[in-house]
Amino acid sequence: MKLDRKDILKALETITIAGEGKNMVESGAIANVITFGDEVVVDLVLHTPAMHIKKRAEDDIKKAILELVSQEAKIKINSKVEVPDKPEIKGKAIPGIKNIIGVASGKGGVGKSTVTANLAVTLAKMGFSVGILDADIYGPSMPIMFDVEGEKPISVTVDGKSKMKPVESYEVKILSIGFFTAPSQAVIWRGPMASKALNQMIFDADWGELDFMLVDLPPGTGDIHLSIVQSLPITGVVIVSTPQAVALADAKKGVSMFMSEAINVPVLGIIENMAYFTPEELPENKYYIFGKEGAKDLAEDLGVPFLGEIPIVQSIREAGDYGRPAAMQTASPIEHIFDEVTRNVVQEVVNRNENLPATEAVKITTMAGCSAVKK
């Protein structure tokens, strides 16, 4: 039996790579196809280092050839990753901070701040030095979640300059607008005032040496997000979503914003929060209140890593309200879940740093709105 190269290419036109609209042949992912009798060699070129994308593409190629051409075909796939160069736009970095991770969501109420707090304490337990910048100016919640509502950052002198010293709790350094306002006081600021306050907490603070700074971003895709990506060289962002369609639609917009040509910040992956409900008295039971694996499917569709799922558990809510993040509950299922999600985040940061150039702070022109300045 002799395989026909044209039949192979026709079969490969029926499949796409996750996150791309064009089929494999049209997009150029199939670099070459060579046939030798019943053997076929496919050269595959991918533009993402994510292993799950590579595996899915290889599986789809084998399935298409076996089903549409010949069940007796012997298939060999040579895969190569070519990550396109990204524009580097010079910006102001913070000395001593190795990785800056934005935690974002398309909409409010998905538990983004709770996830941020638990990621932070888990990273600290792993031995990393960690800080949190609470950038949710209009709804700061980190002081409550770390039981430091009554604390105030003190002033210290560093290299002859007066700086704010972040409040420390559970080995995590924290700065939040909540430290500078009364608990019952609303922050009624226009965008420029909020941006100025953020810049002060970023650059007028003595953060010291940090392995990770987590930036708890407000919901949506607005002014604060632009201020952050203009001010900081964000290593990557983590998107938090719940499984239901309404939240996923907004999470998709969040991913789109960071992946746009103007912003160009790597998306490290998606975390599915409130994935299922598990009663304390029935720890083996899972009730999918908001739908099942919606965020996982979205991650696959967009071609970004899925970082894990976090259930609805009463103790997570209680722990946040009492100011002691649930991930600190030693030897509990919650600790194990956050350990796994955090390990996945760290691994994606490692992958990102190995495969992509360093992120620079984005320069956004006033006249052009949200268009990147290319040099």
Side-chain angles (χ1 to χ4, degrees), residues 303-338:
V304 299
F306 180 65
L307 300 171
E309 55 184 25
I310 299 166
I312 301 176
V313 179
Q314 186 175 340
S315 63
I316 295 180
R317 192 275 304 164
E318 290 175 342
D321 287 349
Y322 294 145
R324 185 175 172 82
M328 299 177 66
Q329 297 170 7
T330 307
S332 69
I334 297 303
E335 182 191 41
H336 173 72
I337 287 166
F338 278 111

Side-chain angles (χ1 to χ4, degrees), residues 10-308:
K10 190 174 180 181
L12 297 179
E13 286 177 350
T14 65
I15 52 180
T16 61
I17 293 176
E20 296 184 9
K22 298 177 181 178
N23 68 61
M24 281 192 175
V25 178
E26 190 182 2
S27 69
I30 303 299
N32 196 18
V33 173
I34 304 172
T35 58
F36 304 96
D38 63 349
E39 296 181 11
V40 56
V41 179
V42 178
D43 291 334
L44 174 66
V45 178
L46 298 170
H47 298 297
T48 172
M51 290 301 296
H52 69 286
I53 299 292
K54 174 176 175 286
K55 186 178 185 307
R56 178 178 166 182
E58 291 176 351
D59 290 345
D60 287 347
I61 288 171
K62 291 175 183 176
K63 184 179 178 182
I65 294 173
L66 292 173
E67 289 184 356
L68 301 177
V69 181
S70 171
Q71 293 182 352
E72 298 175 12
K74 298 174 183 175
I75 305 162
K76 181 182 178 183
I77 302 171
N78 298 321
S79 300
K80 183 168 69 171
V81 175
E82 290 182 358
V83 179
D85 291 336
K86 301 221 173 186
E88 293 188 20
I89 305 165
K90 299 299 177 185
K92 190 176 180 182
I94 305 179
I97 299 181
K98 296 177 184 176
N99 298 287
I100 302 174
I101 311 300
V103 184
S105 65
K107 70 190 300 295
V110 298
K112 170 184 51 59
S113 296
T114 300
V115 170
T116 303
N118 283 284
L119 285 177
V121 296
T122 305
L123 286 167
K125 284 197 301 177
M126 290 177 175
F128 295 107
S129 50
V130 187
I132 293 180
L133 173 64
D134 189 354
D136 195 348
I137 293 290
Y138 304 108
S141 51
M142 288 304 153
I144 296 173
M145 293 192 170
F146 281 86
D147 195 23
V148 285
E149 274 186 285
E151 300 287 332
K152 301 287 181 190
I154 62 171
S155 178
V156 294
T157 302
V158 181
D159 298 329
K161 294 181 180 178
S162 180
K163 299 247 181 183
M164 285 183 284
K165 185 176 178 61
V167 172
E168 193 161 337
S169 179
Y170 309 128
E171 298 182 34
V172 177
K173 296 178 180 178
I174 310 156
L175 272 183
S176 168
I177 201 68
F179 292 138
F180 306 100
T181 59
S184 60
Q185 181 184 348
V187 179
I188 310 170
W189 287 348
R190 291 189 185 275
M193 290 180 68
S195 299
K196 185 177 179 181
L198 271 177
N199 274 311
Q200 285 183 311
M201 289 195 292
I202 293 168
F203 296 112
D204 293 344
D206 177 27
W207 287 102
E209 299 285 329
L210 293 181
D211 294 310
F212 292 94
M213 173 189 273
L214 302 184
V215 183
D216 184 27
L217 291 163
T221 55
D223 206 38
I224 300 299
H225 303 78
L226 294 182
S227 295
I228 288 291
V229 297
Q230 281 182 277
S231 301
L232 292 172
I234 303 286
T235 307
V237 293
V238 170
I239 306 294
V240 179
S241 180
T242 48
Q244 76 266 40
V246 173
L248 293 171
D250 290 332
K252 192 172 184 179
K253 292 172 188 173
V255 173
S256 174
M257 178 187 78
F258 289 108
M259 294 179 74
S260 68
E261 186 180 354
I263 305 299
N264 199 15
V265 170
V267 176
L268 300 173
I270 298 176
I271 294 173
E272 184 170 272
N273 194 27
M274 308 184 199
Y276 54 86
F277 171 63
T278 296
E280 190 174 353
E281 64 275 13
L282 298 169
E284 301 302 317
N285 289 27
K286 293 182 179 181
Y287 302 97
Y288 296 91
I289 299 171
F290 298 122
K292 190 174 182 180
E293 298 184 345
K296 184 177 183 180
D297 292 341
L298 178 64
E300 194 170 317
D301 290 343
L302 296 175
V304 299
F306 180 65
L307 300 171

